[in-house]
Amino acid sequence: MEMFRRIFFAAVLAGAVAGLVASAIQQWRVVPLILEAERYEISEAHAIDHEQDATPAAPHLHELPEGMEPWSPADGLERTFYTVLATTLAGLGFALLMGAVSTFASIEITAENALFWSVGGFLAFSLMPAIGLPPDLPGMAGAELTQRQFWWLGTAFATGAAALLVAKLRNLAGAVIALVVLLAPHIIGAPTPPDVPADVPAHLATAYAANTLFSSFVFWLVLGAAYGWINRKLLAQETSRDG
Amino acid sequence: MNATTTTQSLSISQRLIAGSLALIIGVFLIAGTGFAQNMAVHNGAHDTRHAIGFPCH
């Protein structure tokens, strides 16, 4: 339990710090774009409502009849609160996952190697999934959701595995296998979206893709650095107690 | 038996238990915020799902 306590403590602290930093960047750079995009999505939904014969292709929260909509936070402070909460919880989740991988691979996360963990996490959970499935705004058509989720998770897993292979093997064979594993999801190919024009203006979508990647990158930089710093303190405490 | 040998002999099972616990809680949190099908959970975490780049709708 001693070891779990250390992982848990480091992950909760680092995850919370990184989650809150990411939340601030999201509120500044990302959420305004989501809100702006939703204006187009909602006006589109109303347009469909007015055309009696048209039925939406897929059920969506904005397109359900009134009175049947599930709970949703009220716009403003409540919505911001839940977004910050969810981002922080996701931050804790990523921190615990990183701690678990570090434990299984027996590579400690320290202040010295934190940058590698940050880059690895960013590649696995953000950049590599994003080159196949670019982060999309509300109101943009995508391929079937479960297919996208499956590809996203597979790509995250493959990218993480490739990074670990390089870190553990550190030889040419390891690097070649890692490259194959890394590229496999992209050679297989991500599910392709339907070829229909989106409701949202293109400039919102391009700004959105760049800014989500930016906020994720900062999240992973902070997470790695904070985790490494806290973990080094905890390891030093453990050593001084045991010795 | 001193503290160092105890730590070493328990190391592998300790690692497995600690890593698995962290993995389970971590996956639960990410699945809950990013992949849950429940509409109320989806709506609460909606902007986060988009902002992190999880496939959402």
Side-chain angles (χ1 to χ4, degrees), chain A residues 1-4 7-8 26 30-31 34 38 60-61 70-73 79 82-83 86-87 89-90 92-94 96-97 100 102-104 106 108 125-126 133 135-138 145 148-149 152-153 208 212 215-216 242, chain B residues 2-4 7 10-57:
Chain A
M1 267 351 232
E2 186 84 351
M3 187 177 252
F4 176 68
I7 302 173
F8 194 74
Q26 285 175 0
V30 177
V31 172
I34 296 179
E38 272 180 358
H60 188 275
L61 66 146
W71 174 86
S72 184
R79 182 166 175 175
Y82 278 101
T83 305
T87 299
L89 288 178
L92 296 191
F94 284 124
L96 282 164
L97 204 62
S102 140
T103 310
F104 289 137
S106 65
E108 283 296 346
F125 292 105
S126 201
L133 290 173
D136 57 352
L137 278 165
L145 179 63
R148 279 183 292 146
Q149 289 180 328
W152 195 98
L153 289 171
Y208 183 76
T212 52
S215 79
S216 294
D242 289 348
Chain B
N2 63 35
T4 320
T7 312
L10 283 175
S11 187
I12 290 174
S13 65
Q14 260 195 340
R15 259 176 202 290
L16 277 176
I17 294 168
S20 306
L21 269 176
L23 184 73
I24 291 165
I25 306 172
V27 166
F28 175 77
L29 285 171
I30 295 168
T33 48
F35 293 88
Q37 299 288 327
N38 180 289
M39 280 313 282
V41 178
H42 165 278
N43 292 349
H46 175 265
D47 296 354
T48 296
R49 290 163 81 131
H50 277 280
I52 293 183
F54 290 132
C56 191
H57 296 296

Side-chain angles (χ1 to χ4, degrees), chain A residues 25-104:
Chain A
I25 297 174
Q26 285 175 0
Q27 292 301 325
W28 173 42
R29 305 290 311 180
V30 177
V31 172
L33 297 170
I34 296 179
L35 297 179
E36 204 176 333
E38 272 180 358
R39 290 193 358 237
Y40 296 91
E41 191 187 31
I42 289 165
S43 59
E44 179 74 7
H46 281 298
I48 290 170
D49 282 345
H50 290 301
E51 295 168 32
Q52 293 297 322
D53 54 342
T55 38
H60 188 275
L61 66 146
H62 295 298
E63 292 156 3
L64 287 172
E66 260 179 64
M68 278 184 64
E69 288 181 19
W71 174 86
S72 184
D75 278 349
L77 208 59
E78 192 179 48
R79 182 166 175 175
T80 307
F81 169 78
Y82 278 101
T83 305
V84 172
L85 179 71
T87 299
T88 309
L89 288 178
L92 296 191
F94 284 124
L96 282 164
L97 204 62
M98 190 168 76
V101 168
S102 140
T103 310
F104 289 137

